[in-house]
Amino acid sequence: AQKVTQAQTEISVVEKEDVTLDCVYETRDTTYYLFWYKQPPSGELVFLIRRNSFDEQNEISGRYSWNFQKSTSSFNFTITASQVVDSAVYFCALSPYTGGFKTIFGAGTRLFVKA
Amino acid sequence: EAQVTQNPRYLITVTGKKLTVTCSQNMNHEYMSWYRQDPGLGLRQIYYSMNVEVTDKGDVPEGYKVSRKEKRNFPLILESPSPNQTSLYFCASSSTVTGGFGANVLTFGAGSRLTVL
């Protein structure tokens, strides 16, 4: 069975602090995708990143970085020098590599960034 | 603009009054899905469709119906809504080309907030 666990329900930081959002997953598939989506206060869901299970290179995009570790089944998301605009709910998700029929989401982590 | 459009955005209804939430995408995506979002539970899949006339149950299908008569449309039907179906609903679509650019990346609609009294 597939499962995504985001143990942090809410995180509160002060602007310019670094923050890491944890994601741990379970799957029996040998190939799969991992994702992060952002849901700002306005409510829409925005795609941030997709990672293939066979590519464990970490990725950096501006202030965002992602650490994928297959050995610990984790796909953590770090925001460097956080800003108020980063305040949102962040969802980690998992899907099979072929088809993607069953994308499973974690419960989400609500991030508050205070000025 | 590539998008998923769902309507209505907000709806208050009463128990037992049938309603339909429409969903339409303009990206020629094969895959479409409905999710409901509830506090502390994340997004849970209700139904999905791999293509026209092909639908299947997700994790929480009870009380819902769907149809996929055209590739672009995937309406969600609540035949007899109950208060436990009060939730925020999202329609999503994606390409299913294995390994392709954008494969499995979900594009979401803006959400439909449904309240059943």
Side-chain angles (χ1 to χ4, degrees):
Chain A
Q2 294 189 117
K3 186 178 179 182
V4 176
T5 302
Q6 295 179 256
Q8 303 151 308
T9 305
E10 288 187 0
I11 300 175
S12 184
V13 299
V14 176
E15 211 171 17
K16 297 185 183 175
E17 279 187 36
D18 298 347
V19 57
T20 295
L21 310 181
D22 297 332
C23 174
V24 174
Y25 63 93
E26 296 174 29
T27 182
R28 291 180 183 164
D29 294 324
T30 53
T31 54
Y32 47 89
Y33 284 117
L34 293 161
F35 305 82
W36 278 94
Y37 289 86
K38 175 182 180 179
Q39 186 177 43
S42 51
E44 73 272 23
L45 283 153
V46 179
F47 164 74
L48 293 179
I49 189 171
R50 181 191 74 179
R51 210 86 190 116
N52 299 328
S53 57
F54 42 84
D55 180 2
E56 287 193 68
Q57 281 191 354
N58 291 330
E59 183 155 344
I60 298 174
S61 176
R63 296 183 297 107
Y64 294 174
S65 63
W66 291 270
N67 183 306
F68 175 31
Q69 293 201 342
K70 217 168 178 178
S71 59
T72 56
S73 297
S74 65
F75 185 45
N76 296 336
F77 174 27
T78 297
I79 301 174
T80 303
S82 59
Q83 299 177 1
V84 172
V85 293
D86 296 326
S87 296
V89 180
Y90 291 88
F91 292 99
C92 182
L94 164 71
S95 80
Y97 185 70
T98 52
F101 316 144
K102 296 283 288 179
T103 300
I104 304 297
F105 286 80
T109 297
R110 184 178 296 276
L111 174 65
F112 295 98
V113 181
K114 295 178 285 190
Chain B
E1 180 190 356
Q3 60 185 2
V4 176
T5 303
Q6 53 183 109
N7 284 294
R9 294 288 315 281
Y10 303 91
L11 180 62
I12 300 175
T13 190
V14 295
T15 299
K17 186 175 180 181
K18 180 180 178 179
L19 69 92
T20 299
V21 186
T22 63
C23 175
S24 181
Q25 51 96 3
N26 62 1
M27 295 163 283
N28 200 37
H29 283 165
E30 302 82 10
Y31 175 77
M32 297 186 74
S33 183
W34 278 101
Y35 289 86
R36 60 178 288 174
Q37 182 180 3
D38 301 291
L41 297 176
L43 291 128
R44 294 180 293 167
Q45 190 178 49
I46 303 171
Y47 270 95
Y48 64 90
S49 169
M50 292 308 301
N51 217 320
V52 175
E53 302 291 1
V54 180
T55 63
D56 208 346
K57 296 177 181 179
D59 296 316
V60 288
E62 295 77 21
Y64 305 95
K65 283 176 57 176
V66 293
S67 67
R68 187 96 180 268
K69 293 182 169 54
E70 303 167 285
K71 196 173 184 179
R72 63 183 292 125
N73 296 324
F74 190 46
L76 179 70
I77 303 157
L78 286 74
E79 293 269 0
S80 183
S82 62
N84 65 11
Q85 292 177 298
T86 293
S87 187
L88 178 59
Y89 292 87
F90 286 98
C91 181
S93 71
S94 78
S95 165
T96 58
V97 176
T98 301
F101 178 80
N104 299 17
V105 174
L106 293 169
T107 300
F108 287 89
S112 296
R113 186 166 293 281
L114 170 65
T115 301
V116 183
L117 301 174

